[in-house]
Amino acid sequence: MTKQVQQLDRVIIRFAGDSGDGMQLTGDRFTAGTAEFGNDLSTLPNFPAEIRAPAGTLPGVSSFQLHFADHDILTPGDAPNVLVAMNPAALKANLGDLPRGADIIVNTDEFTKRNLQKVGYETNPLEDDSLAEWRVHAVPLTSLTVTALEGFDLSKKDAERSKNMFALGLLSWLYHRPIEHTITFLQQKFAKKPEIAKANIAAFQAGWNYGETTESFSVSYEVKPARLAPGVYRNISGNQALAYGLIAASVQAKLPLFLGSYPITPASDILHELSKHKRFGVRTFQAEDEIAGVGAALGAAFGGALGVTTTSGPGVALKAETVGLGVTTELPLIIVDVQRAGPSTGMPTKTEQTDLLMAMYGRNGESPVPVVAPMSPSDCFDAAIEAARIAVKYRTPVMLLSDGYLANGSEPWRLPEISELPDISQAFTTEPNGEDGAFLPFKRDEETLARPWAIPGTAGLEHRIGGIEKADGTGNISYDPNNHDLMVRLRAAKIAGIDVPDLEVDDPDGDARVLVLGWGSTYGPIAAAVRRIRKAGGKVAQAHLRHLNPLPANTGEVLKGYDKVLLPEINLGQLALLLRARYLVDIISYNRVRGLPFKAEELAGVIQDVIDSD
Amino acid sequence: MTELLNGKGLSLIPKTDAKQTLKDFKSDQEVRWCPGCGDYAILAAVQSFLPELGLRRENIVFVSGIGCSSRFPYYLDTYGFHSIHGRAPAIATGLAASRPDLSVWVITGDGDALSIGGNHLIHALRRNVNLNILLFNNRIYGLTKGQYSPTSEVGKITKSTPMGSLDKPFNPISLALGAEASFVARTIDSDRKHLQSVLREATAHRGTSLVEIYQNCNIFNDNAFEPLKDPEVRDDITLRLEHGQPIVSASKAVVRGDDGRIAVVPRADVAAERILVHDAHSPDPSLAFALSRLDEPAFEHVPIGIFRQVDRPAYDVLMAEQLDEAVAQQGPGDLSELLMGGDTWRIG
């Protein structure tokens, strides 16, 4: 039987199941196959904070969404074309996001009376008419997997665990994904348990064969490779890119990397990744708490290391006092905040942009710090290098604001040429800079206002620094009123004077009257929305801030160049507050704090409304 | 296998041939403690001790927290970092872990180390970072003007406890031993000779050494350690701890009773061979712990000296070894190789 093959330009798949069903792994593998095939892609993992919420319940649902296309794309997609639902909870939790006509592949084995009751289905949705608007493919995934693995020396329970690989095989057939990598991956992952490796591969192949032979699937789909810029690509998540960026920064700054960190969702993967790269001289220190993490990083910086601490919002709150110490002692330090939904514990696995004001102002005294925010998973690499450049050149703590969406999301990354990475090294001070061989630890560079960085071990430059106000130049303790006023202003001027590139505006015809501005991870959804508007003939300009402090010098000019400025943020208007105060521009805010990224369609509607309004 | 560096605590730190004197370690800053403060004696003892080490002055760093004692680094002409309340062990850990060539000292007090910074202290001790921690214990908050501290005796009447404090104090020695410290000692500000002898052993120890220094605050808690200084009684109540020597004061001796516990008895009542011999090097910390409990109630008899001094690999050495091992196994880091790792594909 030859089945029909249909061409598509893009597809959005969501795998959903119980936390224990292996949906993240399934999504990862499908993504790897898709990346290898050459599509552009973007992913959105979405999982509960609980490691194992009660099986089969709505809070226990874990999902992984993948958008892939034959052209370059910017987001993991708004609404799935295909939902793989491993149980009734997964169906119920995700159905609301599915447009009519979408495909639903359900694991019928899990639609038992008990499981239906757990999530409040009074009747079986597969049997009543409630799913009539969608194309449902009812597949007994569990029992098919168990049957496929009959020859293996496995308990029924172990055999059932491979059902995610059966599903992956089926989807791989349905979308013409290459299968070799998944087979190699399973062999490596279960190298020490060959029987499990063989069973998973068998389940994977059985799923593929099922698609090929069963009547349930009459059509398969092809999405041609994307025409992306020439180069070598790999798929990368924001956290991994950020870790690589820190290593690259260490190499480019010619400073050993010291990470002081305390595990916290969603930042822990940066600690995990960096701890693998000791051959680069990377020291990773898992501290007793958040305060010790940043303290150790600052201590290492005093000793001449590139000191970094990685955390999320609650951790930044705890680190505030030490960051202030870094501000006043003027030492390089990078604080990575992978933002998550707050306040307090909030929703640890959900994304938000709500730490901007804390990054800007969350310390006692006048204590300005530069703030850099990456705009995509792969941009985390460049943003980390930029944060390090500023920290080292200006001797200052720098806040690097990633978020949960960037951290766990992934996209193809065109690898940079190592030779093109910036040299961000700065020489340590080794000679006295005062009269009669004196060393003045707070005598500043005239251009950057940075103070000398003289590290222990340097003879003749012995000096003391600390949190008490310092006299200009000598750094000795000073309570002189005028000196304090001077030092507060010098520290502020140093940060305000940091060289950041101008804000670039994307306004193809130059005649748009509405500017949509963003920062951080909203870049993808905003750019996708802007495309929609333009495709429909609308005019809108787009600009994106990667530097939040200091702001690019032309920011005010850009904002004032448009009749209306729309600023979507996943907070209640934090950047809008800063911009209104600074430039007296009447920003139009669009705010949602649902723990999820914006959808392109949603933002397109908002932009259109702003264009249409008087 | 990690080479134990005990007794070679300074082996990784560059030496100088130049003759050093006390003057070399005095900074140009005016010392601003209250007249009569015990800190002066400790500062003088440290300044006059440091030349003996023969270390390059630029490789010595004093890190402190907040409190009267934490002003200490300003008065020494070495590198210094006066940090924030309680965090000196954390900051010093990052410094020492990344710079095995430095002699790193932490100057802290009973409030700084045991209240706000208690967590960092215990973790530094268990990790065995290469630090010399000098804990100035005056049993009071001085800089904030006289509130009770975590080492103040129960019932202490202070500004914040007009009817007496309610909480049981920490015993810093017991706490350190419980935190797996490899070097724990106690000394007193007024006895420079003893203080310096303890510092000598502490600096020779590679790893964390915790030295509790009884320090008098003559403004808010004067004479807190008076019995230990009073010529009339001090020799009777001070039990000198010296490894391999019987644990005795002028008139008392420590013995192990029939119930297995240690007890202090009149020296005249026991035969010399029954007197407990101090073993600071025992892997089992139970004797050291039992000795640390002897001063309750306070000052009937107080062990002074090194409670525990055992070999354990230092954290910075272990950390450096892992880096070396990674390079030995995989070669030095290569950025291009790192980025190209994993599944890549080429377009165009």
Side-chain angles (χ1 to χ4, degrees), chain A residues 14 54 58 110 133 179 196 212 239 241 297 328 340 455 474 516:
Chain A
R14 186 182 293 176
L58 289 170
E110 290 292 320
E133 292 174 1
I179 61 172
I196 301 286
E212 181 75 11
N239 271 349
T328 196
R340 68 188 213 191
I455 62 170
T474 66
V516 55

Side-chain angles (χ1 to χ4, degrees), chain B:
Chain B
M1 181 62 201
T2 301
E3 183 199 1
L4 289 177
L5 292 161
N6 214 349
K8 294 184 268 180
L10 305 172
S11 63
L12 301 179
I13 301 159
K15 307 288 181 300
T16 178
D17 293 332
K19 176 129 178 71
Q20 293 174 332
T21 66
L22 179 152
K23 208 166 153 271
D24 293 316
F25 289 93
K26 275 190 171 171
S27 78
D28 59 358
Q29 296 297 293
E30 183 193 350
V31 185
R32 294 190 202 174
W33 288 307
C34 307
C37 176
D39 290 354
Y40 283 97
I42 302 170
L43 177 64
V46 170
Q47 282 170 334
S48 66
F49 166 72
L50 286 173
E52 181 186 311
L53 296 175
L55 300 177
R56 295 179 71 101
R57 201 158 45 93
E58 62 270 23
N59 287 71
I60 300 173
V61 185
F62 281 81
V63 182
S64 63
I66 292 292
C68 294
S69 61
S70 288
R71 295 293 182 99
F72 204 89
Y74 288 113
Y75 307 135
L76 284 153
D77 198 7
T78 63
Y79 281 88
F81 199 155
H82 178 210
S83 73
I84 45 179
H85 208 8
R87 316 305 169 200
I91 289 166
T93 291
L95 180 62
S98 54
R99 292 288 304 272
D101 63 324
L102 300 178
S103 171
V104 182
W105 298 64
V106 171
I107 305 296
T108 184
D110 40 316
D112 193 54
L114 301 173
S115 269
I116 194 165
N119 197 32
H120 307 308
L121 179 75
I122 57 175
H123 287 275
L125 293 170
R126 80 176 166 89
R127 286 191 188 103
N128 207 31
V129 184
N130 190 36
L131 303 172
N132 304 311
I133 302 177
L134 307 189
L135 195 170
F136 294 21
N137 182 7
N138 57 18
R139 301 189 171 181
I140 200 76
Y141 281 110
L143 198 65
T144 49
K145 301 188 177 171
Q147 301 82 6
Y148 78 110
S149 92
T151 54
S152 297
E153 58 278 17
V154 177
K156 184 89 171 167
I157 307 277
T158 70
K159 280 180 193 157
S160 61
T161 50
M163 295 174 72
S165 61
L166 303 173
D167 25 348
K168 185 169 169 63
F170 270 134
N171 176 323
I173 303 291
S174 300
L175 184 82
L177 290 166
E180 305 292 343
S182 58
F183 184 104
V184 184
R186 174 188 289 148
T187 184
I188 185 161
D189 57 2
S190 55
D191 187 347
R192 177 181 294 197
K193 195 167 159 238
H194 188 261
L195 201 163
Q196 291 187 332
S197 74
V198 169
L199 293 184
R200 200 165 289 124
E201 295 296 321
T203 47
H205 182 77
R206 184 89 195 176
T208 309
S209 53
L210 179 96
V211 180
E212 179 191 20
I213 306 174
Y214 284 156
Q215 174 250 326
N216 192 44
C217 172
N218 57 322
I219 304 296
F220 296 110
N221 199 21
D222 199 18
N223 296 329
F225 307 102
E226 194 50 28
L228 294 168
K229 303 178 180 183
D230 180 357
E232 297 271 305
V233 297
R234 69 180 178 204
D235 292 343
D236 289 321
I237 65 170
T238 306
L239 296 162
R240 296 273 171 179
L241 300 179
E242 285 170 38
H243 178 72
Q245 297 297 316
I247 307 169
V248 293
S249 71
S251 59
K252 297 177 182 178
V254 177
V255 298
R256 198 174 284 284
D258 294 336
D259 61 358
R261 297 182 184 180
I262 64 169
V264 182
V265 296
R267 202 167 162 176
D269 293 358
V270 287
E273 58 271 21
R274 269 209 62 207
I275 300 174
L276 208 53
V277 172
H278 186 44
D279 182 5
H281 302 170
S282 169
D284 173 9
S286 58
L287 172 64
F289 188 81
L291 287 167
S292 77
R293 310 306 291 175
L294 279 180
D295 59 346
E296 314 243 358
F299 303 137
E300 278 185 27
H301 26 258
V302 181
I304 292 282
I306 296 164
F307 288 74
R308 179 169 170 78
Q309 182 177 18
V310 294
D311 273 0
R312 189 145 65 81
Y315 187 81
D316 60 304
V317 174
L318 294 174
M319 196 179 228
E321 276 183 357
Q322 283 197 342
L323 303 194
D324 292 344
E325 197 180 318
V327 172
Q329 284 175 3
Q330 306 156 12
D334 180 293
L335 207 48
S336 178
E337 196 186 311
L338 173 75
L339 301 191
M340 293 290 286
D343 297 335
T344 58
W345 66 96
R346 181 175 285 282
I347 291 177

Side-chain angles (χ1 to χ4, degrees), chain A residues 175-491:
Chain A
Y175 291 100
H176 295 231
R177 301 293 95 179
I179 61 172
E180 295 75 17
H181 260 78
T182 296
I183 292 171
T184 314
F185 168 83
L186 289 169
Q187 281 164 344
Q188 285 168 356
K189 182 173 166 70
F190 297 108
K192 287 180 183 156
K193 297 176 185 166
E195 191 69 6
I196 301 286
K198 277 186 209 160
N200 274 296
I201 292 166
F204 175 69
Q205 285 170 329
W208 201 93
N209 292 337
Y210 178 81
E212 181 75 11
T213 51
T214 185
E215 298 290 323
S216 307
F217 295 92
S218 54
V219 183
S220 68
Y221 303 94
E222 247 182 24
V223 179
K224 292 230 156 62
R227 278 189 294 273
L228 300 174
V232 177
Y233 284 77
R234 68 181 287 176
N235 192 51
I236 198 148
S237 71
N239 271 349
Q240 193 175 17
L242 204 150
Y244 283 9
L246 291 172
I247 295 171
S250 153
V251 172
Q252 298 304 103
K254 301 183 180 70
L255 296 173
L257 184 63
F258 184 96
L259 175 73
S261 184
Y262 187 77
I264 185 170
T265 301
S268 302
D269 280 341
I270 304 172
L271 166 64
H272 304 159
E273 185 64 42
L274 286 174
S275 66
K276 291 187 219 161
H277 301 289
K278 298 189 193 322
R279 55 192 291 219
F280 284 87
V282 175
R283 284 176 159 84
T284 53
F285 171 67
Q286 185 176 314
E288 59 271 22
D289 60 27
E290 296 281 0
I291 300 171
V294 68
L298 187 66
F302 182 59
L306 181 63
V308 180
T309 190
T310 48
T311 189
S312 186
V316 178
L318 285 164
K319 294 174 198 292
E321 189 188 12
T322 310
V323 177
L325 181 64
V327 168
T328 196
T329 54
E330 304 189 42
L331 286 169
L333 178 68
I334 299 170
I335 304 101
V336 178
D337 177 4
V338 185
Q339 299 166 95
R340 68 188 213 191
S344 187
T345 306
M347 301 192 289
T349 56
K350 311 298 178 194
T351 197
E352 233 166 62
Q353 296 184 296
T354 41
D355 293 348
L356 176 61
L357 292 180
M358 175 166 69
M360 289 288 292
Y361 299 119
R363 291 163 297 284
N364 62 305
E366 294 285 355
S367 53
V369 296
V371 181
V372 177
M375 55 198 261
S376 71
S378 64
D379 187 47
C380 289
F381 179 84
D382 297 307
I385 297 175
E386 174 65 358
R389 179 190 74 85
I390 294 172
V392 171
K393 180 173 177 183
Y394 295 91
R395 328 271 200 259
T396 176
V398 178
M399 288 277 180
L400 183 55
L401 286 185
S402 178
D403 63 30
Y405 169 55
L406 295 180
N408 292 318
S410 68
E411 64 177 357
W413 175 37
R414 188 160 69 97
L415 299 180
E417 290 293 333
I418 302 299
S419 59
E420 289 167 12
L421 295 178
D423 179 355
I424 59 172
S425 61
Q426 295 280 327
F428 295 124
T429 300
T430 55
E431 300 295 331
N433 58 359
E435 286 176 17
D436 303 327
F439 177 59
L440 303 173
F442 284 82
K443 182 176 174 182
R444 292 167 193 280
D445 179 276
E446 284 178 14
E447 189 203 323
T448 62
L449 296 181
R451 75 176 190 89
W453 189 11
I455 62 170
T458 314
L461 306 189
E462 293 84 0
H463 64 281
R464 277 65 57 193
I465 58 172
I468 301 186
E469 186 58 282
K470 290 148 288 288
D472 184 31
T474 66
N476 292 331
I477 291 177
S478 171
Y479 286 86
D480 175 58
N482 289 329
N483 176 74
H484 178 58
D485 188 78
L486 173 70
M487 292 299 273
V488 166
R489 289 173 197 279
L490 279 171
R491 288 188 288 261

